[in-house]
Amino acid sequence: MVAPQFTLNTGAKIPALGLGTWQSPAGAVEKAVYHALTVTGLRHIDCAFAYGNEREVGAALAQVFSEGKIKREDVFITTKLWSTWHNRAEANIDESLKSLGLDYVDLYLMHWPVPMNANGNHPIMPTRPDGMRDLDEGWTWQQTWKAMEKLVEAGKAKAIGVSNFSEAYLKELLKDAKIVPAANQIENHPLLPQDGLVKFCQEHGILVTAYSPLGSTGGPLLADETVTKLAQKHGVSNGNVLINYQLKRGIAAIPKSVTPSRIDENAKTVDLTGEDIELLNGIHKAQGLKRFVSPPWPVNFLFSEANWGENFKPLL
Ligand code: NDP
């Protein structure tokens, strides 16, 4: 079975399954992207300025396009505006487009609603002398969204969306947005199903994309007992169960791998039943909610304060 496509609120189609590229090193990422497109048949690549490997992703895309079998318009490419570039949205997309070798991206996401100092002590994760994250107090993510809306007019992004937005943040955004976000990319897996946020997004025509569907680095959820039982029941791999847990719920998934055999394996679809989904939802009920990707700044709108350590600072 081929993974389905979803339709964005712009009318554009997005393949429900994409390839993630975070923590995909140079050398490996070119091969992974080339393999995913030419062998596996994926048509959706998830990138970000902050991953530091857009040039390498771009090299793979250039090779694929130069071979002529796959055209630019056949591939859905997402990238993301980084926190230290909130007050320079156009410059940030220009950097990404240059590295990727593209004229436009299909989807441009605000990576986090957290503007950080553009001139701090680190280009990606600046900190203040006291060790606190160097937030940009003079700029708001609402201003960033307005600048991102202009990128659609400029033809640099076919669609814009957000990432790591809670329901409260989305409501705030929707109050004044000319463009409703096409997508909200969030951490999602059986230990963090975020059903309320998913429902809110789906009711507002915002596609949810699941990041870290395998539990992020090393894919810890692949070893889960319930996942294993369901994989055995359907004669598929554990990764297939976790990825199709998303697709079945109307959520796009972007598992990362730089291992060609895993990229192929992860692309198999399986029709999970409602009962299977319930069993997978039972995992967090038994083990508690767990977030695998915790950036070093407080994002109180997504999780309880207890999860966020010393740097807690309310954003709303
Ligand atoms: P994933 O849940 O996709 O897990 C990736 C890990 O699982 C890697 O270590 C990979 O190893 C391993 N893996 C993949 N497939 C298999 C398999 N079949 N068997 C065994 N191991 C496997 O984690 P990510 O956190 O990378 O999330 C996916 C993507 O989501 C990211 O790459 C990025 O594009 C996006 N993302 C977005 C964020 C945001 O803030 N918007 C935050 C985090 C991620 P290997 O590569 O060695 O094969």
Side-chain angles (χ1 to χ4, degrees), residues 19-24 46-48 51 80 82 109 111-112 163-164 185-187 210-220 222 237 239 243 254-259 261-263 265-266 293:
L19 178 73
T21 62
W22 180 42
Q23 304 187 114
S24 299
D46 183 75
C47 314
Y51 301 162
K80 312 184 192 90
W82 184 243
L109 303 179
H111 207 144
W112 288 88
S163 177
N164 298 300
Q185 188 179 117
I186 54 173
E187 180 169 338
Y211 74 66
S212 307
L214 311 177
S216 201
T217 315
L222 290 164
S237 74
I243 292 162
I254 45 170
K256 170 264 178 181
S257 179
V258 289
T259 314
S261 59
R262 291 175 174 175
I263 297 172
E265 183 187 297
N266 290 346
V293 177

Coordinates of all heavy atoms in Angstrom, one line a residue, residues 19-24 46-48 51 80 82 109 111-112 163-164 185-187 210-220 222 237 239 243 254-259 261-263 265-266 293, ligand 1:
L19 N 10.4 12.2 4.8 CA 11.7 11.8 5.4 C 12.2 13.0 6.3 O 12.3 14.1 5.8 CB 12.7 11.5 4.4 CG 14.1 11.1 4.9 CD1 14.1 9.7 5.5 CD2 15.2 11.2 3.8
G20 N 12.4 12.7 7.6 CA 13.0 13.7 8.5 C 14.5 13.8 8.2 O 15.1 12.8 7.8
T21 N 15.1 15.0 8.6 CA 16.5 15.1 8.3 C 17.3 15.7 9.5 O 18.4 16.1 9.4 CB 16.8 16.0 7.1 OG1 16.2 17.3 7.3 CG2 16.2 15.5 5.8
W22 N 16.6 15.8 10.7 CA 17.3 16.3 11.8 C 18.4 15.3 12.3 O 18.1 14.1 12.2 CB 16.3 16.5 13.0 CG 17.0 17.1 14.2 CD1 17.9 18.0 14.4 CD2 16.6 16.7 15.6 NE1 18.2 18.2 15.7 CE2 17.4 17.4 16.5 CE3 15.7 15.8 16.1 CZ2 17.4 17.3 17.8 CZ3 15.6 15.6 17.5 CH2 16.4 16.4 18.4
Q23 N 19.5 15.7 12.7 CA 20.6 14.9 13.1 C 21.1 13.9 12.0 O 21.5 12.8 12.3 CB 20.2 14.1 14.4 CG 19.8 15.0 15.6 CD 19.6 14.3 16.9 OE1 20.3 14.5 17.8 NE2 18.6 13.4 16.9
S24 N 20.9 14.4 10.8 CA 21.4 13.5 9.7 C 22.6 14.2 9.1 O 22.6 15.3 8.5 CB 20.3 13.6 8.6 OG 19.1 13.0 9.1
D46 N 11.5 16.7 5.0 CA 11.3 17.7 6.0 C 12.7 18.2 6.4 O 13.6 17.5 6.8 CB 10.7 17.1 7.3 CG 10.5 18.1 8.4 OD1 9.5 18.9 8.2 OD2 11.2 18.1 9.3
C47 N 12.9 19.5 6.2 CA 14.2 20.1 6.5 C 14.0 21.3 7.5 O 12.9 21.6 7.9 CB 14.7 20.8 5.2 SG 14.6 19.8 3.7
A48 N 15.1 21.9 7.9 CA 15.1 23.1 8.7 C 16.5 23.7 8.6 O 17.5 23.1 8.6 CB 14.8 22.7 10.2
Y51 N 19.0 22.6 11.2 CA 19.6 21.3 11.2 C 21.0 21.4 10.6 O 21.8 20.4 10.7 CB 18.8 20.3 10.4 CG 17.4 20.1 11.0 CD1 16.4 19.5 10.2 CD2 17.1 20.4 12.3 CE1 15.1 19.3 10.7 CE2 15.8 20.3 12.8 CZ 14.8 19.7 12.0 OH 13.5 19.5 12.5
K80 N 12.1 25.3 7.8 CA 11.6 26.0 8.9 C 12.5 27.3 9.3 O 13.7 27.2 9.2 CB 11.6 25.1 10.2 CG 10.9 23.8 9.9 CD 10.8 22.9 11.1 CE 10.5 21.5 10.7 NZ 11.6 20.6 10.4
W82 N 14.3 29.6 11.8 CA 14.8 29.4 13.1 C 14.7 30.6 14.0 O 14.5 31.7 13.6 CB 16.3 29.0 13.0 CG 16.9 28.7 14.3 CD1 17.9 29.3 15.0 CD2 16.4 27.7 15.2 NE1 18.0 28.8 16.2 CE2 17.1 27.7 16.4 CE3 15.4 26.7 15.1 CZ2 16.9 26.9 17.5 CZ3 15.1 25.9 16.2 CH2 15.9 26.0 17.4
L109 N 7.7 26.7 7.9 CA 7.1 26.6 9.2 C 7.9 27.5 10.2 O 9.2 27.6 10.0 CB 7.2 25.2 9.8 CG 6.5 24.1 9.0 CD1 6.8 22.7 9.7 CD2 5.0 24.3 8.9
H111 N 9.6 27.5 13.3 CA 10.1 26.3 14.0 C 9.6 26.2 15.5 O 9.1 25.2 15.9 CB 11.6 26.2 14.0 CG 12.2 24.9 14.0 ND1 13.3 24.5 13.3 CD2 11.9 23.8 14.7 CE1 13.7 23.3 13.6 NE2 12.8 22.8 14.5
W112 N 9.7 27.4 16.2 CA 9.2 27.5 17.5 C 8.7 28.9 17.7 O 9.3 29.9 17.2 CB 10.4 27.3 18.6 CG 10.8 25.9 18.7 CD1 11.8 25.3 18.0 CD2 10.3 24.9 19.7 NE1 11.9 24.0 18.4 CE2 11.1 23.7 19.5 CE3 9.4 25.0 20.7 CZ2 10.8 22.6 20.2 CZ3 9.2 23.8 21.4 CH2 9.9 22.7 21.2
S163 N 5.1 25.3 14.0 CA 5.6 24.0 14.7 C 5.6 24.3 16.2 O 6.0 25.4 16.6 CB 6.9 23.7 14.1 OG 7.5 22.5 14.7
N164 N 5.4 23.3 16.9 CA 5.4 23.4 18.4 C 4.4 24.5 18.9 O 4.8 25.2 19.9 CB 6.9 23.7 18.8 CG 7.8 22.6 18.5 OD1 7.6 21.4 18.9 ND2 8.8 22.9 17.6
Q185 N 3.4 21.3 13.1 CA 4.3 20.1 13.2 C 4.7 20.0 14.7 O 5.3 20.9 15.3 CB 5.6 20.3 12.4 CG 6.4 19.1 12.4 CD 7.7 19.2 11.5 OE1 8.8 19.1 12.0 NE2 7.5 19.4 10.2
I186 N 4.3 18.9 15.3 CA 4.4 18.7 16.8 C 5.0 17.3 17.1 O 4.8 16.4 16.2 CB 3.1 18.9 17.5 CG1 2.0 17.9 16.9 CG2 2.6 20.3 17.4 CD1 0.7 17.9 17.7
E187 N 5.6 17.1 18.2 CA 6.0 15.8 18.6 C 4.7 14.9 18.8 O 3.8 15.4 19.5 CB 6.8 15.9 19.9 CG 7.3 14.5 20.4 CD 8.3 14.5 21.5 OE1 9.0 15.5 21.7 OE2 8.4 13.5 22.2
A210 N 3.5 14.8 12.5 CA 4.1 14.2 13.7 C 5.6 14.1 13.6 O 6.1 13.5 12.7 CB 3.6 12.8 14.0
Y211 N 6.3 14.8 14.5 CA 7.7 14.6 14.5 C 8.1 13.6 15.6 O 7.3 13.4 16.5 CB 8.5 15.9 14.5 CG 8.6 16.8 15.8 CD1 9.2 16.3 17.0 CD2 8.1 18.0 15.8 CE1 9.3 17.1 18.1 CE2 8.2 18.8 17.0 CZ 8.8 18.3 18.1 OH 8.9 19.1 19.3
S212 N 9.3 13.1 15.4 CA 9.7 12.0 16.4 C 8.7 10.9 16.6 O 8.4 10.4 17.7 CB 10.1 12.6 17.7 OG 11.0 13.7 17.6
P213 N 8.2 10.4 15.5 CA 7.1 9.3 15.6 C 7.6 8.0 16.2 O 6.9 7.2 16.7 CB 6.6 9.1 14.2 CG 7.8 9.5 13.3 CD 8.4 10.7 14.0
L214 N 9.0 7.8 16.1 CA 9.6 6.6 16.7 C 10.1 6.8 18.1 O 10.7 5.9 18.7 CB 10.7 6.1 15.8 CG 10.3 6.0 14.3 CD1 11.5 5.5 13.4 CD2 9.1 5.0 14.1
G215 N 10.0 8.1 18.6 CA 10.5 8.4 19.9 C 11.9 9.1 19.8 O 12.6 9.2 20.7
S216 N 12.2 9.7 18.6 CA 13.4 10.4 18.3 C 14.7 9.5 18.4 O 14.6 8.3 18.2 CB 13.5 11.7 19.2 OG 14.4 12.6 18.7
T217 N 15.8 10.2 18.8 CA 17.1 9.5 18.7 C 17.1 8.1 19.1 O 16.8 7.7 20.3 CB 18.1 10.3 19.5 OG1 17.9 11.7 19.3 CG2 19.5 9.9 19.2
G218 N 17.5 7.2 18.2 CA 17.6 5.8 18.5 C 16.2 5.0 18.5 O 16.2 3.8 18.6
G219 N 15.2 5.8 18.2 CA 13.8 5.1 18.1 C 13.4 4.3 19.3 O 13.0 3.1 19.1
P220 N 13.5 4.8 20.5 CA 13.2 4.0 21.7 C 11.8 3.3 21.7 O 11.6 2.3 22.3 CB 13.3 5.0 22.9 CG 13.2 6.4 22.3 CD 13.7 6.2 20.9
L222 N 10.4 1.9 19.4 CA 10.4 0.7 18.6 C 10.4 -0.6 19.4 O 9.9 -1.7 19.0 CB 11.6 0.7 17.6 CG 11.5 1.7 16.5 CD1 12.9 2.0 15.9 CD2 10.5 1.3 15.4
S237 N 6.7 -4.3 10.4 CA 7.7 -4.0 11.4 C 7.2 -3.1 12.5 O 6.1 -2.5 12.3 CB 8.9 -3.3 10.7 OG 8.5 -2.0 10.4
G239 N 8.3 -0.2 13.4 CA 8.3 1.1 12.8 C 7.0 1.4 12.0 O 6.4 2.5 12.1
I243 N 4.4 4.5 12.7 CA 4.2 5.5 11.6 C 2.7 5.5 11.2 O 2.1 6.5 11.1 CB 5.1 5.2 10.5 CG1 6.6 5.5 10.9 CG2 4.7 6.0 9.2 CD1 7.6 4.9 10.0
I254 N 6.9 12.1 9.7 CA 8.2 12.3 9.0 C 9.4 11.6 9.7 O 10.3 12.2 10.2 CB 8.5 13.9 8.9 CG1 8.2 14.5 10.3 CG2 7.7 14.5 7.8 CD1 8.7 16.0 10.4
P255 N 9.3 10.3 9.8 CA 10.4 9.5 10.5 C 11.7 9.8 9.8 O 11.8 10.0 8.6 CB 10.0 8.1 10.3 CG 9.1 8.1 9.1 CD 8.4 9.4 9.1
K256 N 12.7 9.9 10.7 CA 14.1 10.2 10.2 C 14.9 8.9 10.1 O 14.8 8.1 11.1 CB 14.8 11.2 11.1 CG 16.3 11.4 10.8 CD 17.2 10.5 11.7 CE 18.6 10.7 11.4 NZ 19.5 9.8 12.3
S257 N 15.6 8.7 9.1 CA 16.6 7.6 9.1 C 17.6 8.0 8.0 O 17.3 8.5 7.0 CB 16.0 6.2 8.8 OG 17.0 5.3 8.7
V258 N 18.9 7.6 8.3 CA 19.9 7.8 7.2 C 20.3 6.4 6.8 O 21.3 6.2 6.1 CB 21.1 8.6 7.7 CG1 20.8 10.0 7.9 CG2 21.7 8.0 9.0
T259 N 19.5 5.4 7.2 CA 19.8 4.0 6.8 C 18.9 3.5 5.7 O 17.7 3.4 5.9 CB 19.6 3.1 8.0 OG1 20.2 3.7 9.2 CG2 20.2 1.7 7.8
S261 N 17.9 0.8 4.2 CA 17.0 -0.3 4.4 C 15.9 0.1 5.3 O 14.7 -0.3 5.2 CB 17.7 -1.5 5.0 OG 18.4 -1.1 6.2
R262 N 16.2 1.0 6.3 CA 15.1 1.4 7.2 C 14.2 2.4 6.6 O 13.0 2.4 6.8 CB 15.7 2.1 8.5 CG 16.5 1.2 9.4 CD 17.2 1.9 10.5 NE 17.8 1.1 11.5 CZ 18.5 1.5 12.5 NH1 18.7 2.8 12.6 NH2 19.1 0.6 13.3
I263 N 14.7 3.3 5.7 CA 13.9 4.2 4.9 C 12.8 3.4 4.1 O 11.6 3.7 4.1 CB 14.7 5.1 4.0 CG1 15.6 6.0 4.9 CG2 13.8 6.0 3.2 CD1 16.6 6.8 4.1
E265 N 11.9 0.3 4.7 CA 11.0 -0.5 5.7 C 9.9 0.5 6.2 O 8.7 0.1 6.3 CB 11.8 -1.0 6.8 CG 11.1 -1.9 7.8 CD 12.0 -2.2 8.9 OE1 13.1 -2.9 8.7 OE2 11.7 -1.8 10.1
N266 N 10.3 1.7 6.6 CA 9.4 2.6 7.2 C 8.3 3.0 6.3 O 7.2 3.5 6.8 CB 10.1 3.8 7.7 CG 11.0 3.5 8.9 OD1 10.9 2.5 9.5 ND2 11.9 4.5 9.3
V293 N 11.8 15.2 22.9 CA 12.5 16.4 22.4 C 12.2 17.6 23.3 O 11.1 18.1 23.3 CB 12.1 16.7 20.9 CG1 12.8 18.0 20.4 CG2 12.4 15.6 20.0
Ligands
NDP1 P1 12.3 9.7 14.8 O1 11.3 9.3 15.8 O2 12.0 9.8 13.4 O3 13.5 8.6 15.1 C1 14.7 8.7 14.4 C2 15.7 7.6 15.0 O4 15.1 6.3 14.7 C3 17.0 7.6 14.4 O5 18.0 7.3 15.4 C4 17.0 6.5 13.3 O6 18.3 5.9 13.1 C5 16.1 5.5 14.0 N1 15.3 4.7 13.1 C6 14.5 5.1 12.0 N2 13.9 4.1 11.4 C7 14.2 3.0 12.1 C8 13.9 1.6 12.0 N3 13.1 1.1 11.0 N4 14.5 0.7 12.8 C9 15.3 1.1 13.8 N5 15.7 2.4 14.0 C10 15.1 3.3 13.2 O7 13.0 11.0 15.4 P2 13.3 12.5 15.0 O8 13.4 13.2 16.3 O9 14.4 12.6 14.0 O10 12.0 13.0 14.2 C11 11.8 12.9 12.8 C12 11.9 14.2 12.1 O11 11.0 15.2 12.6 C13 13.3 14.9 12.3 O12 14.3 14.3 11.6 C14 12.9 16.3 11.8 O13 12.9 16.3 10.4 C15 11.5 16.5 12.5 N6 11.6 17.1 13.8 C16 11.0 18.3 14.0 C17 11.1 19.0 15.2 C18 10.4 20.3 15.3 O14 10.7 21.0 16.3 N7 9.6 20.7 14.3 C19 11.7 18.4 16.3 C20 12.3 17.1 16.1 C21 12.2 16.5 14.9 P3 19.1 6.0 11.7 O15 19.0 7.4 11.2 O16 20.5 5.7 12.2 O17 18.6 4.9 10.8

